[in-house]
Amino acid sequence: RKAEGGNGIRQFEPQMLASRKKRTETEADILRGIEENLFEPSFQPITCLRSGQIIGFEALMRLNHPEKGLIPPGEFIAVAEETKWINHAGRQLFSKALSGLCALSRARGDDRLHIAVNLSPVQMTPEKVAFMADELKAYGINANRLTVEITEAVFMEDNQRISDSLRMLKEMGCRIALDDFGTGYSSLAYLTRFHVDTIKIDQTFTKGLTNADPALAARSRRLIEGIVAIARNMDCTMVAEGVEDALQAEQVRAIGVAYGQGYLFSRPLPLEEALKRV
Ligand code: C2E
Ligand code: CA
Ligand code: CA
Ligand code: CA
């Protein structure tokens, strides 16, 4: 490359080269994952705050790379969404989440456990929903045991494809959860635009409860009280995310949140580990 000069060609900075290399590597990892069926769920328990019983699991995507080990979604989801390869990865994840749910239900000896999966806006297509319906049927799982977690990003593009997909999911009997509630631009507005079953209170609010500054901790508590009041009025169940200590769990329970998820109860687990806990 030429140094920047009269011809307007810019010299590549070393960081630019490094980030391009990283991007290329991420793309290669994703494509290999699709080819070799390497996408799989980690299972994180969702726990009833009153009884302590596990009522279900969130299936969180990992890329199980033969050399690099389990790669977390933070490393590849953005690229997978941008390229739409998330659609292929998401199918692998979904089938394994359902077979995992069957195994977990057998281990527990009942079929009331729920499974939650995350869908990004590019995954909200009628074809994907039809695939999910077929898989549920193939595994003999009632659709009311499936929760689809979406964020406000789904509502940003107000298009037909997405609203059709949401309607199909509801008609099948799936539950819809609003993820990361309270962190978006229009969290409240879309509660009026669609029937949401569950609100997942973002982990920043849960963490705020144990802020070292007691005045700020009190503000977090009052904010969660407000969210709980809204959720009750909207007939939504609630899950507190990011519960890391017993005080946070006790406080959200006292405010009226039914379910908790977080490291206090368990990190996301490979299926074999989850089977021992259920
Ligand atoms: P999310 O849906 O909000 O998932 C919760 C994230 O918080 C997970 O990170 C989980 O491991 C982490 N977490 C759970 N409990 C605690 C806690 O007590 N403390 C802290 N600090 N963190 C906790 P993870 O697994 O790295 O996933 C990150 C994000 O990637 C997810 O956020 C979700 O937005 C996205 N993602 C994961 N799986 C999928 C998927 O299958 N499809 C799509 N489209 N996105 C996914
Ligand atoms: Ca989620
Ligand atoms: Ca979340
Ligand atoms: Ca998130």
Side-chain angles (χ1 to χ4, degrees):
R1 294 279 166 185
K2 289 185 181 166
E4 191 165 30
N7 59 12
I9 296 175
R10 227 169 195 284
Q11 189 173 18
F12 272 117
E13 303 286 344
Q15 313 95 278
M16 278 178 69
L17 278 175
S19 79
R20 267 187 64 151
K21 212 177 145 206
K22 179 127 212 312
R23 164 81 188 209
T24 308
E25 193 179 322
T26 303
E27 290 182 359
D29 288 346
I30 297 170
L31 288 172
R32 180 167 178 187
I34 291 169
E35 187 106 342
E36 298 177 23
N37 193 17
L38 304 176
F39 290 96
E40 60 177 48
S42 270
F43 295 87
Q44 188 175 33
I46 299 173
T47 303
C48 173
L49 291 169
R50 272 205 228 171
S51 68
Q53 264 234 335
I54 293 176
I55 59 111
F57 291 86
E58 181 175 0
L60 291 154
M61 187 183 278
R62 304 287 180 264
L63 171 44
N64 193 354
H65 193 281
E67 285 105 46
K68 299 178 188 171
L70 284 183
I71 308 177
E75 309 246 329
F76 62 83
I77 283 280
V79 175
E81 286 177 349
E82 195 194 307
T83 53
K84 303 202 175 163
W85 295 336
I86 186 73
N87 281 306
H88 301 280
R91 282 168 192 247
Q92 294 180 10
L93 174 109
F94 191 68
S95 302
K96 291 174 196 174
L98 294 191
S99 66
L101 180 65
C102 291
L104 289 160
S105 301
R106 268 196 306 276
R108 171 120 118 199
D110 74 47
D111 54 7
R112 282 171 302 178
L113 283 173
H114 289 238
I115 191 83
V117 299
N118 297 278
L119 287 192
S120 60
V122 294
Q123 294 176 275
M124 296 293 284
T125 65
E127 295 76 42
K128 168 85 179 183
V129 176
F131 165 80
M132 290 165 67
D134 288 346
E135 289 290 283
L136 285 165
K137 199 173 282 174
Y139 283 101
I141 296 171
N142 194 308
N144 66 14
R145 297 171 66 197
L146 173 68
T147 299
V148 172
E149 298 193 0
I150 56 178
T151 64
E152 74 283 347
V154 159
F155 296 89
M156 302 287 257
E157 343 166 14
D158 182 20
N159 72 38
Q160 199 61 38
R161 168 177 66 81
I162 287 174
S163 43
D164 286 350
S165 305
L166 280 170
R167 199 169 332 102
M168 280 173 75
L169 285 167
K170 289 291 326 173
E171 278 164 11
M172 280 160 60
C174 300
R175 298 173 62 86
I176 307 287
L178 269 186
D179 210 347
D180 305 342
F181 185 80
T183 60
Y185 297 100
S186 56
S187 298
L188 295 177
Y190 53 57
L191 282 178
T192 64
R193 281 170 45 198
F194 198 77
H195 185 101
V196 168
D197 303 284
T198 300
I199 284 176
K200 296 193 81 174
I201 300 170
D202 192 70
Q203 53 187 50
T204 52
F205 303 126
T206 310
K207 297 226 162 63
L209 289 170
T210 45
N211 194 304
D213 178 342
L216 288 180
R219 292 181 72 84
S220 283
R221 199 186 64 240
R222 289 198 289 269
L223 187 86
I224 295 177
E225 285 167 356
I227 296 175
V228 167
I230 290 169
R232 284 222 177 102
N233 281 333
M234 297 282 173
D235 268 328
C236 296
T237 58
M238 276 162 291
V239 180
E241 300 195 85
V243 179
E244 292 187 354
D245 65 41
L247 184 61
Q248 292 163 354
E250 172 47 31
Q251 289 205 32
V252 289
R253 190 202 57 75
I255 296 169
V257 178
Y259 306 109
Q261 182 179 351
Y263 297 163
L264 171 68
F265 306 108
S266 170
R267 293 193 175 250
L269 303 167
L271 180 62
E272 313 78 70
E273 293 298 316
L275 285 168
K276 293 180 206 155
R277 301 277 202 97
V278 76

